[in-house]
Amino acid sequence: MVTQITKGIKISVNTEFEGTYFRNHKLQFAFSYEITIENHSKDSVQLLARHWEIFDSLNELEVVDGEGVVGKKPVLKPGESHTYASGCLLASTHGAMHGWFDMVNFTTARNFRVIVPAFLLNAPFALN
């Protein structure tokens, strides 16, 4: 698990290798990740958008931007958390992701960015 705290918001990430799939006549490696967002600040906040940079060992880069996470824009009061799961397909057995969440602080009405630390995506059978 990797964790990072930005402006009182703690991000924790767990990853799993899910298996291999054929997509468009190409072998793909599927990974899932579970992210927990914890509000350790004194203010209520809302997640508005996400930005991901997904790398694989074949030097391919995919950038994903969008509203919310898995169709939700969670509001977190102080002490609350939100956990969600998602996934990605890579062309290789090794990769990594990192990014950020754009959030708003309801007390100050200011937007801020919460860093999601880099996390590895590794198929265990390919590790030596």
Side-chain angles (χ1 to χ4, degrees):
M1 175 189 302
V2 296
T3 63
Q4 182 163 337
I5 298 175
T6 307
K7 297 184 179 180
I9 308 301
K10 181 179 179 181
I11 305 296
S12 303
V13 185
N14 282 312
T15 62
E16 292 287 333
F17 173 67
E18 298 295 337
T20 57
Y21 299 89
F22 278 95
R23 182 174 147 196
N24 299 327
H25 305 288
K26 292 182 181 178
L27 183 62
Q28 300 281 295
F29 300 90
F31 297 89
S32 65
Y33 54 90
E34 182 180 81
I35 295 184
T36 299
I37 305 161
E38 299 175 60
N39 185 356
H40 292 271
S41 77
K42 61 180 177 32
D43 301 318
S44 292
V45 299
Q46 182 176 22
L47 189 152
L48 302 174
R50 71 190 180 285
H51 172 88
W52 291 117
E53 294 180 5
I54 306 166
F55 302 90
D56 73 30
S57 62
L58 297 176
N59 294 323
E60 294 182 20
L61 168 66
E62 181 180 2
V63 176
V64 177
D65 290 296
E67 289 190 13
V69 290
V70 293
K72 297 180 180 175
K73 294 182 179 179
V75 173
L76 300 172
K77 295 177 182 174
E80 290 185 338
S81 66
H82 177 79
T83 300
Y84 75 95
S86 191
C88 68
L89 294 173
L90 297 181
S92 67
T93 57
H94 303 293
M97 290 177 63
H98 72 91
W100 61 78
F101 297 133
D102 287 326
M103 303 185 83
V104 63
N105 179 313
F106 286 143
T107 302
T108 65
R110 290 194 172 165
N111 290 1
F112 65 103
R113 186 164 283 171
V114 173
I115 302 301
V116 179
F119 53 94
L120 299 178
L121 304 165
N122 290 314
F125 66 85
L127 298 175
N128 55 8

